[in-house]
Structures are given as C-alpha cells and as structure tokens.
Amino acid sequence: VKALGLTTGVLDIDVRYSDSLGPRIIEVNPRMGGGSVESMHELAHGIALTQIGLKTFLGVDVSEDIASRLEQNHSECLEAGWVMSPHSGVVQNMSLFAQSLKLAF
C-alpha cells in the first residue's frame, strides 16, 4: 500500500487467490469497503471504521486508538467469503448454494 502512496486512512483492498498464482491484489480503494464491512470490523475488533476514517481525514493520529482496541480481548469471531464464477451468466436457481451453506455450518 505504501507503494501507492497510501499510508493512512481506511482502505478497501480486494485480493483474489488462485492455486496457480497464490494471492494477488485486484484493487485498492482509499475508502471503507461496502456492505457489512464496518459492522464486521466492529464486531471482530471493536473498531468503528467510519470514526477512524473521519479522524484520519481530520489529521488526528489514530494509531494508539487502534492499537489499544486490538489489544482488547474480543470474544466474537467471523468469516466472510464470496463465490466467484469463472463464467458470466444469469443465476436461475439458488438451491445448490443453499445446500452448500447447510453443509458448511
């Protein structure tokens, strides 16, 4: 991230993993990720990304705030993943996906 000149703030970094190439950075965005990203970070680490982003934008050093929250013991654990199709198309049925979720949990 330093190579891009991004040294502070909340960043959204997308990585894709393949067996042949390993992890590869797909994109880096100087903003918070969408969807449930903020609530996931707050649940797992006790860090409110909106507050951290705002403080950083205003020039406030947030390193001690983040370090102290990461040192706290959080009892929650979460995992998120996305299914990427190798082909374009239209999803016509979700039954296999629903079955795989039942198997996973």
Side-chain angles (χ1 to χ4, degrees):
V1 199
K2 286 183 181 180
L4 298 173
L6 301 171
T7 57
T8 60
V10 176
L11 305 174
D12 175 44
I13 303 172
D14 292 347
V15 177
R16 181 175 286 178
Y17 179 86
S18 74
D19 290 335
S20 60
L21 299 174
R24 294 289 186 254
I25 295 175
I26 303 299
E27 62 179 321
V28 178
N29 300 294
R31 60 167 174 77
M32 181 175 63
S36 58
V37 168
E38 180 170 31
S39 59
M40 289 190 306
H41 279 276
E42 192 150 9
L43 179 66
H45 306 296
I47 296 172
L49 293 179
T50 301
Q51 290 179 3
I52 296 297
L54 247 156
K55 287 180 179 180
T56 302
F57 178 75
L58 295 172
V60 176
D61 182 8
V62 296
S63 57
E64 288 184 29
D65 187 31
I66 292 173
S68 68
R69 290 174 192 260
L70 292 177
E71 289 173 3
Q72 295 173 6
N73 183 20
H74 294 278
S75 61
E76 300 293 333
C77 179
L78 61 95
E79 180 178 336
W82 289 260
V83 177
M84 305 299 269
S85 173
H87 308 285
S88 62
V90 176
V91 176
Q92 297 179 350
N93 187 325
M94 293 294 289
S95 62
L96 289 176
F97 181 71
Q99 289 174 7
S100 66
L101 283 177
K102 288 178 186 175
L103 292 174
F105 299 102

